Amino acid sequence: MNIKNIVLALFLISFSIISAQENKKWTLQECVNYALENNISIKSSVLDTDLAEIEKKGAIGNFLPSANASSSHSWNIGLNQNITTGLLENQTTQFTSAGFNVGVDIYNGLANQNRLRRANLSRIASQYQLTKMQEDIALNVANSFLQILFNKENLKVQKEQLANNQKQLNRSEQLLDAGVIPRGDLLDMKATVASDEQRVILAENALLLSKLSLAQLLQLEDFKTFDIIDQEYDVVQSPLLLQTPESIYEKAKENRTELKIAKTNLEIAQRDLAMSRGAYQPRLQGFYSFSTRATSLERVTGIALNPTNPTSVIGFVEDTSQNVVQPNFNPVLGRALPILDQFENNKGQNFGFQLTIPILNGFSVRTNVQRSKVALERSKIFYEQEELTLERNVFTAFTDAKGALNAHEAALTTLEAREESFLYAKERFDVGLMNAFDFNQSQTLLANAQSEVLRTKYDYIFRTKILEFYFGIPIIQNK
């Protein structure tokens, strides 16, 4: 029984978790945070920052000396001069060498310093690019979130309109049976109900598509059950509308990411010019090398010739397993030194400085300098263009937000008038002083006014978010 109870409890817990996940409704904060962690574009920007960090490590590594070890082993078979006796012999020798080299740049036109500064600037630029991508994603998420809220409320309006018209249809049937209205009014009311049903379907489709759009923006795999919380936003005048566009622009110049990116790219172009000019300067390097070697004579067989008179034969030579190397041959013992002793005796070191002065290199340095100058001028123009674009965007955002507020206030006034007009039309229709067609027209105008209030409401909220965005107020507080 205890095991059964445990299994049942685990089943109920898992079922409740699954149900909670399926019925979960996302807040704007949750949507933004999830998008910042899972959006593909942001992940790509994160990889760019990782690459910039790797480039910085590579630039730091240029300050370190270069060190390399080498070794070789070769066989020489045939008629060769015996390095011990000086005689020409048919022999097989093995030659082994090993070495170690170290090099360091003492001066190279400050290329390493400029390369490191450029790597630091590239790393900063990649971080700005990541921030810009996060800001854009947050703005898109907020827009999609508000669009869903608008579609939800618009669907409620359309359903309410359908319900009211269905009631009027039922009443019209009763009035027709009582002989108060003609049959044409009933047909007009049926057509109105059919049109309302189509509007409900369109509103449902719009809501579904807006949910799908936000779910894809969040990179959600299961978007069929995706939904957001019904969050209410009050329409209040933003304090930023009390300021001037010029003051908002000056504030935006201090914190807008796209301007920081353009400025950093300008500094990178300046570093590129300094690096290309550094190639005009001489390069001084220090070097050190260590080497050693040994030779092993495996087999000697054949006719030994006198090196001073090749036509004179000295005698027949046969020797195996002799280790021979000069100057490590011991004449007293009549044999070569061991391999390890040869390595010890043949050690050598080499060190010094190397100065390279560029004189003529096919105008490659000059061409690189000119190319860097053009890139620098382009970066300056791009920075100026970004300032102009930012100024235009700020003024546009300010005008749009102010216009959206005026449009919403006008829509409220229109709605109030349409509500009074509809009540008056309803009273006349109920007593038979207005036909169904005119009454339906009044009701349609009321529904349109309600939808316009919703549209202008969320349009103003989003326009305000954009204006705050340029002022430096984030779309949503990051966790």
Side-chain angles (χ1 to χ4, degrees):
M1 291 298 294
N2 292 334
I3 296 178
K4 291 182 178 180
N5 292 336
I6 294 175
V7 173
L8 180 60
L10 292 176
F11 173 77
L12 294 176
I13 292 174
S14 61
F15 179 77
S16 62
I17 293 176
I18 295 175
S19 300
Q21 292 177 347
E22 292 180 350
N23 299 327
K24 173 181 173 58
K25 291 190 175 183
W26 296 62
T27 64
L28 179 57
Q29 176 80 52
E30 292 173 337
C31 289
V32 172
N33 290 338
Y34 190 88
L36 295 181
E37 294 179 358
N38 298 276
N39 186 267
I40 293 179
S41 300
I42 292 180
K43 289 182 178 180
S44 179
S45 296
V46 171
L47 294 179
D48 291 338
T49 60
D50 295 339
L51 184 60
E53 191 66 32
I54 294 174
E55 292 296 329
K56 178 184 176 181
K57 293 180 180 179
I60 295 176
N62 291 330
F63 288 93
L64 302 177
S66 61
N68 300 282
S70 61
S71 64
S72 65
H73 187 83
S74 60
W75 286 263
N76 194 351
I77 302 174
L79 185 64
N80 292 284
Q81 184 179 17
N82 192 313
I83 60 177
T84 304
T85 63
L87 302 179
L88 294 177
E89 302 172 353
N90 277 325
Q91 57 185 351
T92 299
T93 59
Q94 296 187 48
F95 184 80
T96 303
S97 65
F100 178 76
N101 301 297
V102 178
V104 60
D105 286 330
I106 299 176
Y107 181 79
N108 60 351
L110 302 179
N112 293 340
Q113 290 84 347
N114 288 323
R115 190 172 291 110
L116 178 59
R117 295 188 184 101
R118 188 191 189 282
N120 285 327
L121 291 172
S122 297
R123 184 174 61 89
I124 295 173
S126 65
Q127 292 174 345
Y128 284 150
Q129 290 285 1
L130 175 59
T131 302
K132 180 68 168 57
M133 182 62 65
Q134 291 173 337
E135 291 173 346
D136 292 342
I137 293 298
L139 193 62
N140 292 334
V141 168
N143 185 25
S144 299
F145 190 92
L146 294 175
Q147 186 65 38
I148 294 176
L149 291 179
F150 164 71
N151 289 332
K152 279 188 173 185
E153 294 197 22
N154 185 56
L155 179 59
K156 292 179 182 179
V157 171
Q158 299 303 328
K159 286 183 176 181
E160 183 179 354
Q161 182 72 12
L162 175 60
N164 292 333
N165 285 334
Q166 285 176 339
K167 293 179 181 179
Q168 292 298 332
L169 177 60
N170 296 332
R171 179 173 175 78
S172 296
E173 291 176 348
Q174 296 174 358
L175 293 177
L176 178 63
D177 294 338
V180 177
I181 62 174
R183 182 174 178 80
D185 288 353
L186 177 62
L187 295 178
D188 287 339
M189 186 58 65
K190 287 184 177 181
T192 301
V193 170
S195 299
D196 290 340
E197 290 175 347
Q198 291 179 354
R199 292 190 183 94
V200 169
I201 294 174
L202 292 176
E204 289 175 344
N205 291 337
L207 176 58
L208 178 61
L209 292 177
S210 60
K211 288 182 180 180
L212 175 61
S213 177
L214 180 55
Q216 290 179 339
L217 190 60
L218 300 181
Q219 307 296 329
L220 292 178
E221 296 181 0
D222 185 13
F223 55 83
K224 295 180 180 179
T225 59
F226 174 77
D227 198 4
I228 65 172
I229 192 171
D230 296 331
Q231 189 170 350
E232 184 65 28
Y233 288 93
D234 296 328
V235 177
V236 294
Q237 183 175 0
S238 173
L240 294 180
L241 294 178
L242 301 178
Q243 300 191 26
T244 62
E246 291 79 6
S247 62
I248 298 177
Y249 170 64
E250 292 299 325
K251 181 67 175 179
K253 288 174 62 176
E254 300 175 0
N255 52 58
R256 284 308 309 136
T257 307
E258 56 266 28
L259 211 57
K260 294 179 180 179
I261 294 174
K263 185 177 181 180
T264 305
N265 288 333
L266 176 60
E267 295 175 353
I268 290 176
Q270 293 172 343
R271 284 299 150 199
D272 288 337
L273 178 59
M275 290 171 57
S276 60
R277 283 175 173 171
Y280 281 123
Q281 303 182 27
R283 180 180 183 183
L284 180 62
Q285 295 175 295
F287 62 87
Y288 170 81
S289 64
F290 170 83
S291 63
T292 184
R293 65 189 184 280
T295 302
S296 174
L297 180 61
E298 292 183 352
R299 181 177 181 82
V300 179
T301 179
I303 302 298
L305 302 178
N306 190 337
T308 60
N309 185 8
T311 60
S312 174
V313 179
I314 296 179
F316 183 83
V317 179
E318 183 175 358
D319 192 2
T320 59
S321 301
Q322 292 291 327
N323 296 325
V324 183
V325 68
Q326 188 180 14
N328 296 309
F329 180 76
N330 192 325
V332 178
L333 298 178
R335 59 183 175 83
L337 294 177
I339 296 295
L340 295 180
D341 292 341
Q342 293 183 44
F343 280 126
E344 179 66 25
N345 292 339
N346 291 330
K347 291 188 300 184
Q349 301 182 63
N350 183 28
F351 57 89
F353 301 95
Q354 180 178 353
L355 179 65
T356 303
I357 302 176
I359 299 176
L360 182 63
N361 47 29
F363 301 110
S364 61
V365 176
R366 181 181 178 183
T367 302
N368 290 334
V369 171
Q370 292 176 342
R371 188 182 295 112
S372 299
K373 287 181 178 179
V374 173
L376 177 59
E377 291 301 319
R378 182 181 289 112
S379 298
K380 290 180 180 178
I381 294 174
F382 182 77
Y383 180 75
E384 294 175 358
Q385 183 62 47
E386 284 295 315
E387 286 185 325
L388 294 175
T389 302
L390 178 61
E391 183 180 18
R392 182 176 65 252
N393 290 340
V394 169
F395 275 74
T396 301
F398 182 86
T399 303
D400 289 344
K402 196 170 184 178
L405 179 60
N406 294 334
H408 181 68
E409 293 175 349
L412 289 175
T413 302
T414 302
L415 177 60
E416 184 178 356
R418 291 300 179 190
E419 288 175 343
E420 293 180 358
S421 176
F422 174 73
L423 292 176
Y424 178 71
K426 186 175 183 302
E427 292 175 357
R428 297 188 64 192
F429 179 76
D430 290 340
V431 297
L433 296 179
M434 177 179 286
N435 59 38
F437 178 80
D438 293 336
F439 177 73
N440 292 336
Q441 287 294 104
S442 177
Q443 199 168 28
T444 300
L445 291 174
L446 174 61
N448 293 338
Q450 291 172 334
S451 298
E452 183 65 12
V453 168
L454 293 176
R455 188 195 66 80
T456 56
K457 170 186 176 181
Y458 288 104
D459 183 63
Y460 168 71
I461 293 173
F462 182 66
R463 299 297 177 184
T464 304
K465 289 288 185 181
I466 295 179
L467 190 60
E468 293 175 348
F469 177 69
Y470 284 117
F471 193 73
I473 301 174
I475 298 298
I476 197 72
Q477 296 294 331
N478 293 332
K479 60 181 180 179

